[in-house]
Amino acid sequence: MRPTPGSPPGALRRTTLTALAVSALTLTAVPAAAAPTDAAGAPAGHCARMAQLRVPGAEHQRAACLDELTTAGTVASGHTDPADWAGLTPKDLAVPGGVPGIQIDGYFPDTSTTNTNHGWNHDAQFVIRLPDRWNGGLVIAGTPGNREQYANDRAIADWVLSRGYAYAATDKGNTGLAFHRDGKTPGDAIAEWNERVTQLTRAARATLAQRYHRPPARTLATGLSNGGYLVRWQLENHPELYDGGVDWEGTLWRADGPNLLEFLPEALRAYPVYAAGGDGAETARRRMHAAGFPAGSEFLWPYHHKVYWDLTQRINREELDPGFDGATEAGTPYCATGTPACDTDYDYAARPEEVRQAVEKIELTGRIGKPLITLHGTLDVLLPIGEDSDVYARMVRDAGRGALHRYYRIEGGTHTDSLVDAFPDRLRPLVPCHRSGFTALERWLTTGSRPPASTTVALPADTDPAALLDHCSLGR
């Protein structure tokens, strides 16, 4: 419960979404690599004064002096959770290294207990990483899906740490497939995600001031899927805390739609008819396209039907409209149309006003207050681009904030970068495009050089798939 898609699980584990969302390899207290100590036995050298660091508001914290803050070292030292970030990146993504520093793990006061990392059984967990060679910046991230605080370690943290940024991430205050049990009223669990990112940002900025004797010169928010939603919400509601952000195909919540409670039920109805073939298959395909699932994405539909659509619909609907299925929790998996209280037949527009009010707690407005770069793959079939970022870009323009926004539609990108390994000839990874967007935001803030105009970034027809891991030109 709060101290003061969930949403679509953003890319979940390569096998099944269930295994990913509830995965929690408990971090063991594996000692970090030996570090120099002073006469009293306290860390010296690059970890000097580590014991004096205090994360404001934390109920519990534990600091470690590490020779390596990236996953090149934290996997072996036990300071990350590989299960938490499994399936979010291509298998051949390079792992940078050479980033010594301090890692602080801990948690803020909370009453929910879905996060079992460290054996704490306590939500509102966070990680803060403080590199020795600091560039003066801080990157804040909320997690995709319903994952825990280490979910961005490969996709985001490794790279920004290698560039000298301090990094902080939160588990958003509730995790796993039953995240919707948190909170007192519909929408509370997702609303807590926003509060936890705000809380962590303030605490991390103060912690950096302790460590480096000055506050960060720049604070940037970034994240993918649900993490991208959090970037949008923070820049709309707390722009004073940030200098800018990069939104990697964030979830769009609008009380008046579109939102995923509208297009996922249509996929659950139409896809089985399409997959069965026969006379109704072509009509079902057109229904899928009309619901937002792009033409040319059909090869991705079987996987998403098996892994994403059903579960994503049910757990998010349970969070925002628990009355739909009465005492049943999160519906009936893969129920056929016509089954009582079946999410396949869910009709958001026909639901009572209180459902819309629950979505209003978490909805976006487009009224960003700091520069934002949005990236979204054209072959995203969990959050179809036409029902999500295309709409959000219009919302930003309609709010009069278009000068603060750049939007890049990445041709051949899908929601889960690990699927590039399965379809290397049809998909491109978004992680290098995220990095290009991040560096474009840096230039925007540092030199005033505006990024290239919003556009669709074409998929090179003759590029070796391996080369796409290293480069993504946003134009100009």
Side-chain angles (χ1 to χ4, degrees):
M1 194 178 297
R2 303 188 260 173
T4 40
S7 62
L12 299 181
R13 187 182 317 240
R14 201 179 305 264
T15 53
T16 69
L17 184 145
T18 301
L20 272 176
V22 298
S23 67
L25 288 181
T26 301
L27 293 177
T28 56
V30 179
T37 58
D38 60 21
H46 77 102
C47 293
R49 298 183 299 278
M50 180 178 75
Q52 281 72 52
L53 296 177
R54 292 291 181 269
V55 179
E59 181 178 338
H60 179 75
Q61 69 174 67
R62 183 171 70 194
C65 179
L66 301 181
D67 288 338
E68 183 59 71
L69 290 175
T70 74
T71 57
T74 55
V75 171
S77 72
H79 290 87
T80 187
D81 182 351
D84 209 14
W85 37 263
L88 290 179
T89 56
K91 61 180 176 60
D92 293 328
L93 184 67
V95 182
V99 187
I102 295 170
Q103 175 162 319
I104 303 174
D105 292 288
Y107 55 80
F108 296 110
D110 199 359
T111 58
S112 55
T113 59
T114 61
N115 189 339
T116 61
N117 274 324
H118 305 283
W120 288 337
N121 299 319
H122 197 291
D123 291 343
Q125 290 192 35
F126 62 82
V127 59
I128 299 175
R129 296 190 175 107
L130 308 169
D132 289 353
R133 294 180 291 277
W134 185 46
N135 69 4
L138 169 64
V139 172
I140 299 288
T143 59
N146 305 100
R147 300 181 185 224
E148 298 152 5
Q149 65 270 28
Y150 305 106
N152 295 305
D153 280 5
R154 287 287 290 114
I156 296 172
D158 280 355
W159 185 73
V160 299
L161 285 164
S162 73
R163 293 170 59 81
Y165 284 92
Y167 172 82
T170 170
D171 69 2
K172 310 193 298 284
N174 45 70
T175 66
L177 300 184
F179 80 97
H180 46 76
R181 294 176 183 170
D182 200 12
K184 294 181 179 179
T185 62
D188 283 355
I190 297 178
E192 182 179 356
W193 301 353
N194 296 314
E195 295 173 5
R196 293 300 185 180
V197 174
T198 303
Q199 177 185 43
L200 177 65
T201 301
R202 290 174 172 149
R205 286 171 58 88
T207 304
L208 265 63
Q210 297 173 39
R211 173 69 178 90
Y212 302 112
H213 307 292
R214 60 186 174 94
R218 177 171 298 152
T219 302
L220 305 177
T222 191
L224 63 103
S225 192
N226 283 339
Y229 158 74
L230 295 167
V231 174
R232 296 172 178 180
W233 193 95
Q234 293 295 318
L235 295 191
E236 290 180 5
N237 293 276
H238 289 290
E240 75 282 359
L241 296 177
Y242 307 92
D243 295 281
V246 182
D247 153 32
W248 180 343
E249 56 194 16
T251 311
L252 180 62
W253 287 110
R254 296 181 73 197
D256 293 331
N259 63 58
L260 63 87
L261 298 180
E262 295 179 311
F263 55 77
L264 288 184
E266 179 62 11
L268 295 176
R269 291 188 291 269
Y271 174 75
V273 179
Y274 166 76
D279 294 340
E282 186 55 35
T283 298
R285 183 207 299 264
R286 289 196 295 268
R287 286 171 53 198
M288 292 287 290
H289 294 166
F293 300 91
S297 68
E298 287 84 351
F299 69 100
L300 294 168
W301 294 356
Y303 176 84
H304 285 77
H305 179 257
K306 178 180 179 181
V307 175
Y308 285 109
W309 293 335
D310 177 74
L311 185 56
T312 301
Q313 163 65 23
R314 289 188 292 102
I315 63 176
N316 285 283
R317 193 270 307 149
E318 185 70 18
E319 160 66 358
L320 296 161
D321 188 3
F324 173 72
D325 57 355
T328 302
E329 184 177 17
T332 302
Y334 297 100
C335 53
T337 183
T339 304
C342 178
D343 276 275
T344 299
D345 292 326
Y346 187 77
D347 183 353
Y348 176 78
R351 296 301 295 153
E353 176 63 18
E354 54 261 33
V355 177
R356 182 179 174 281
Q357 291 171 354
V359 179
E360 284 178 345
K361 291 182 183 180
I362 61 171
E363 72 176 352
L364 297 168
T365 66
R367 294 191 292 271
I368 55 174
K370 289 292 173 64
L372 174 66
I373 291 178
T374 293
L375 307 132
H376 205 120
T378 60
L379 293 182
D380 189 333
V381 293
L382 178 58
L383 302 177
I385 191 169
E387 302 298 303
D388 192 290
S389 293
D390 285 358
V391 178
Y392 189 68
R394 290 196 297 271
M395 290 168 60
V396 173
R397 292 195 301 270
D398 291 346
R401 310 300 170 90
L404 292 173
H405 193 220
R406 290 293 185 274
Y407 173 37
Y408 302 109
R409 307 173 84 252
I410 311 301
E411 186 179 26
T414 193
H415 199 77
T416 307
D417 260 10
S418 63
L419 286 173
V420 176
D421 297 327
F423 302 102
D425 56 336
R426 302 193 194 189
L427 298 173
R428 72 178 302 165
L430 266 69
V431 63
C433 299
H434 172 264
R435 295 173 179 182
S436 293
F438 193 96
T439 56
L441 178 66
E442 289 177 321
R443 291 191 296 270
W444 194 356
L445 298 174
T446 301
T447 69
S449 175
R450 292 184 174 274
S454 300
T455 189
T456 296
V457 179
L459 175 63
D462 57 351
T463 300
D464 186 299
L468 292 174
L469 275 174
D470 301 318
H471 181 68
C472 178
S473 175
L474 301 181
R476 186 160 88 219

